[in-house]
Amino acid sequence: FAYNIHVNGVLHCRVRYSQLLGLHEQIKKEYGSNVVPNFPPKKIFTLTPAEVEQRREQLEKYMQAVRQHPLLGASDLFNSFLRKAQQETQQIPTEEAALDICLCSGPKLTVHILTSDQTEDVLEAVGTKLDLPDDLVGYFSLFLVHEGVDGSLTFVRKLQEFELPYVSITSLQSSEFHIVLRKSYWDMAYDQDVMDNRVGLNLLYAQTVSDIERGWILVNKDQQRQLKSLQEKGSKKEFIHLAQTLKYYGYIKFDPCITDFPEKGCQVIVSAGNNELNFHVKLPNEQMKEGSFKVTRMRCWRVTSSQVPVTNGTTNPCGSAKCDVKLELAFEYLMSKDRLQWVTITSQQAIMMSICLQSMVDELMVKKSGGSIKKVLKKRQESLHRADSQQAVKSPPLLTKLNSVSLRGISTSNSTNDISSNDFHGNYAFEGIGDDDL
């Protein structure tokens, strides 16, 4: 029997039980039996449908447990398994290839890589092509974005260490998707490190100009005149310093979506930045309301997905009709002393929102522990494990983690994807797709 593995709501690869068993044996050999989660045993006889579903659930739990383990989940053994499986599933051979990377200033940068290069390799190739110093490469990340017909950009996700960027973008088979280079930190204090370098300054300046033109940063007429004057003078640092004083500087703005706060069915525009999610809500009475949710007051969050039938005048279930995937981000928030409340956002960018929240938490934890941001941004350096760095967060409430919630969508596979805050890098959902001799 073979399985589709969905990571963060997207089909990542297809594997067989024997491959997962091989991974398990490798992990046991490398890290010892005491560290490795239980693996569903091999059966001699043909599995019944009930046993097939039981095994699928057990394998899903196994992959979740490995991913959430502070040592196993970050291991090259585990991530290289996922990268290899992704490449084999998409049937893309290892060979030299050209990959276009979009810069915020507009032009594309073409890097020559191997199709099997992982995200960090591609990021370093981009840094080399731009002549960006090695110690600044980690201040930036690669993001998958979707370009609308009007030229607008929707951020889908940050590319992770378990995937191959060339394979990820090629498998989408659409010219509407691009890989974009953008800064990956939130605290504007780190801007100075970047601006001290000419290339870093140009990248940060281009991103700031782009965010203003896109309407992500709010600018009044007087500020617009000042910014234009600085642009004409070529005063890039002064331009950025002025932009830093503007509302929503450094935020990522998401497409309009739906929230249940302050009441169900409200339209909302969500922005992530400054260690918060900012809400610009349109109430049912057409009144506009703005508010922010600080990440330090979120006890936990989760992203869930379910399959819903496409509205076409029928009531056919997903098994016999086309289905859409519905994504929701829900977080438990400390509204006031001793009062926690769940807030839900229904958005196709829920995964990206969760990635933003987790990266804010990582950055805060490293800062509170007195560590260097490079330990978060540079994979080559020894990074702080989240399990260790959590102890550095002293301000209540503690950012506890939710276990994955198993949701069943209306589908023939009886499976859905669930992505929780304890694993923004990837949550694994399995679908059985065919018989296999075990």
Side-chain angles (χ1 to χ4, degrees):
F1 208 85
Y3 302 91
N4 283 338
I5 298 183
H6 293 264
V7 184
N8 288 344
V10 178
L11 176 63
H12 180 77
C13 61
R14 182 175 295 118
V15 296
R16 298 192 179 277
Y17 173 87
S18 57
Q19 291 174 275
L20 295 172
L21 178 60
L23 170 66
H24 174 69
E25 295 297 335
Q26 284 184 289
I27 293 176
K28 260 201 322 185
K29 183 178 179 181
E30 181 75 22
Y31 297 98
S33 301
N34 295 334
V35 178
V36 184
N38 292 328
F39 189 83
K42 190 172 184 178
K43 299 287 183 73
I44 299 176
F45 302 104
T46 302
L47 300 178
T48 66
E51 289 173 329
V52 167
E53 174 60 15
Q54 182 184 43
R55 172 176 280 185
R56 185 198 65 76
E57 292 177 353
Q58 290 172 338
L59 288 171
E60 185 171 299
K61 289 178 180 177
Y62 174 82
M63 292 293 281
Q64 294 283 4
V66 172
R67 188 63 197 171
Q68 292 161 17
H69 192 282
L71 182 62
L72 304 181
S75 68
D76 187 61
L77 176 61
F78 183 66
N79 287 316
S80 62
F81 171 83
L82 290 174
R83 292 192 293 265
K84 182 180 179 182
Q86 181 193 26
Q87 185 178 7
E88 291 176 348
T89 299
Q90 299 300 333
Q91 298 182 333
I92 295 178
T94 297
E95 58 188 7
E96 293 183 353
L99 181 64
D100 288 336
I101 306 295
C102 295
L103 304 178
C104 291
S105 54
K108 292 181 180 179
L109 178 77
T110 300
V111 292
H112 296 278
I113 58 167
L114 292 177
T115 55
S116 57
D117 280 347
Q118 59 185 295
T119 301
E120 185 189 21
D121 296 332
V122 176
L123 182 60
E124 290 181 351
V126 172
T128 299
K129 189 71 177 283
L130 290 170
D131 200 23
L132 185 67
D134 289 345
D135 61 343
L136 290 183
V137 172
Y139 284 74
F140 295 85
S141 290
L142 299 174
F143 294 85
L144 179 67
V145 301
H146 177 265
E147 184 177 5
V149 292
D150 59 351
S152 62
L153 293 183
T154 296
F155 278 71
V156 179
R157 70 176 187 274
K158 182 167 76 171
L159 298 184
Q160 305 291 348
E161 74 277 15
F162 56 73
E163 63 184 312
L164 308 176
Y166 182 88
V167 177
S168 293
I169 193 73
T170 304
S171 64
L172 292 170
Q173 298 180 336
S174 173
S175 59
E176 297 175 355
F177 289 92
H178 310 288
I179 297 176
V180 171
L181 181 72
R182 184 180 175 87
K183 73 176 186 179
S184 58
Y185 57 88
W186 300 100
D187 190 340
M188 70 174 69
Y190 297 119
D191 283 349
Q192 193 57 52
D193 294 345
V194 177
M195 288 192 293
D196 285 343
N197 173 264
R198 176 185 57 83
V199 178
L201 172 62
N202 289 336
L203 289 172
L204 187 57
Y205 173 75
Q207 178 178 314
T208 306
V209 171
S210 175
D211 286 356
I212 291 174
E213 292 176 346
R214 194 180 286 135
W216 285 16
I217 300 174
L218 293 188
V219 183
N220 61 36
K221 290 183 179 179
D222 182 53
Q223 293 163 340
Q224 185 67 54
R225 283 194 295 269
Q226 294 180 58
L227 290 169
K228 186 177 180 180
S229 174
L230 291 172
Q231 273 186 293
E232 291 172 348
K233 295 177 182 177
S235 304
K236 296 180 180 180
K237 285 189 178 181
E238 290 77 5
F239 182 95
I240 294 173
H241 287 314
L242 176 56
Q244 287 174 335
T245 67
L246 305 179
K247 194 170 186 178
Y248 303 134
Y249 172 81
Y251 282 64
I252 289 180
K253 189 176 182 180
F254 299 97
D255 295 342
C257 52
I258 303 296
T259 183
D260 63 356
F261 184 88
E263 50 187 292
K264 288 185 177 180
C266 290
Q267 297 180 36
V268 63
I269 294 178
V270 179
S271 298
N274 194 29
N275 299 320
E276 68 180 21
L277 287 183
N278 178 272
F279 276 33
H280 201 72
V281 182
K282 184 179 182 180
L283 301 176
N285 62 6
E286 301 299 314
Q287 181 183 353
M288 302 302 296
K289 185 175 182 179
E290 185 180 357
S292 295
F293 297 92
K294 291 289 183 182
V295 70
T296 50
R297 294 177 69 87
M298 294 180 187
R299 192 184 73 84
C300 52
W301 72 86
R302 64 186 176 215
V303 177
T304 56
S305 72
S306 56
Q307 291 180 317
V308 294
V310 175
T311 304
N312 57 4
T314 68
T315 57
N316 292 336
C318 288
S320 57
K322 185 179 178 182
C323 289
D324 283 336
V325 176
K326 178 184 177 182
L327 291 173
E328 289 186 337
L329 169 71
F331 56 88
E332 193 175 23
Y333 194 76
L334 186 66
M335 295 292 181
S336 60
K337 186 178 181 181
D338 301 325
R339 188 172 79 88
L340 288 163
Q341 179 179 336
W342 281 96
V343 176
T344 301
I345 305 166
T346 303
S347 168
Q348 290 306 109
Q349 292 177 285
I351 294 163
M352 184 64 192
M353 292 179 190
S354 178
I355 289 175
C356 290
L357 289 175
Q358 187 63 62
S359 59
M360 289 176 191
V361 171
D362 287 344
E363 198 171 301
L364 282 171
M365 287 178 174
V366 170
K367 194 171 183 179
K368 285 181 178 290
S369 66
S372 166
I373 186 176
K374 293 177 184 177
K375 291 184 178 180
V376 169
L377 301 178
K378 292 289 284 179
K379 187 180 168 189
R380 284 196 302 266
Q381 298 178 12
E382 185 179 355
S383 62
L384 296 174
H385 291 305
R386 287 184 203 151
D388 298 329
S389 59
Q390 281 180 13
Q391 300 174 6
V393 179
K394 299 177 182 178
S395 56
L398 291 177
L399 288 153
T400 56
K401 309 286 188 168
L402 280 182
N403 290 325
S404 296
V405 180
S406 179
L407 298 178
R408 294 182 181 273
I410 310 172
S411 67
T412 54
S413 64
N414 287 330
S415 67
T416 61
N417 311 322
D418 174 75
I419 307 91
S420 62
S421 65
N422 55 4
D423 190 26
F424 85 96
H425 291 289
N427 186 65
Y428 305 88
F430 280 63
E431 292 178 327
I433 58 174
D435 291 324
D436 178 32
D437 294 330
L438 297 178

